[in-house]
Amino acid sequence: MINQVTLVGRLTKDPVVKYTADGRPFLNMTVAVNRPYRNQEGVAETDFIFCTVWNKSAENTAKYCQKGSLIGVLGTIQTRNYENTDGKKVYVTEVSVHTVRFMDKKRSTASELLPILTIP
């Protein structure tokens, strides 16, 4: 059996690392991925995919990415359920991310953007 997911999309908000009770870092994020076709009105629709990243990958993603960053993720689909505060069972489908690739170009520093002026 195969359970493998590859996504390329943009982060919908700034990533924030959280920690489990035993100190393990994790990050919940949503990746916006455009569908490869347009609807009847000619508009490209977008899927918002919930993802969970663990350990050093979570810390690096929070450190180097922000809302709108283009990323690639590799992982597996997982499902889980829990009871909400009303006692109803809630089912969640998410991507458990194994690898994150930062796909934006490296940002330039302010000094690299300023022209060099020479005074005669």
Side-chain angles (χ1 to χ4, degrees):
M1 290 183 251
I2 298 172
N3 181 358
Q4 183 173 337
V5 176
T6 303
L7 302 171
V8 175
R10 296 198 178 273
L11 292 177
T12 61
K13 63 181 181 178
D14 289 338
V16 177
V17 174
K18 298 178 184 175
Y19 295 88
T20 62
D22 62 350
R24 190 173 169 205
F26 72 97
L27 167 65
N28 292 321
M29 63 183 184
T30 302
V31 179
V33 180
N34 290 336
R35 292 184 181 176
Y37 55 86
R38 298 188 181 278
N39 63 19
Q40 290 179 342
E41 292 80 34
V43 177
E45 295 180 0
T46 303
D47 291 304
F48 298 90
I49 316 248
F50 189 73
C51 301
T52 302
V53 187
W54 292 93
N55 302 319
K56 193 68 171 172
S57 291
E59 294 174 327
N60 286 337
T61 300
K63 183 176 180 181
Y64 295 109
C65 295
Q66 60 191 9
K67 179 181 178 177
S69 292
L70 183 65
I71 63 168
V73 297
L74 302 173
T76 57
I77 292 180
Q78 293 185 348
T79 59
R80 60 184 169 88
N81 62 69
Y82 63 92
E83 275 191 27
N84 66 9
T85 55
D86 297 332
K88 294 183 181 180
K89 198 173 242 187
V90 177
Y91 294 91
V92 179
T93 301
E94 62 193 345
V95 175
S96 177
V97 176
H98 303 272
T99 305
V100 179
R101 296 282 185 239
F102 309 138
M103 301 181 75
D104 277 331
K105 292 181 180 177
K106 184 177 177 183
R107 300 187 193 282
S108 300
T109 63
S111 63
E112 292 173 340
L113 297 175
L114 296 174
I116 298 174
L117 300 176
T118 56
I119 301 175

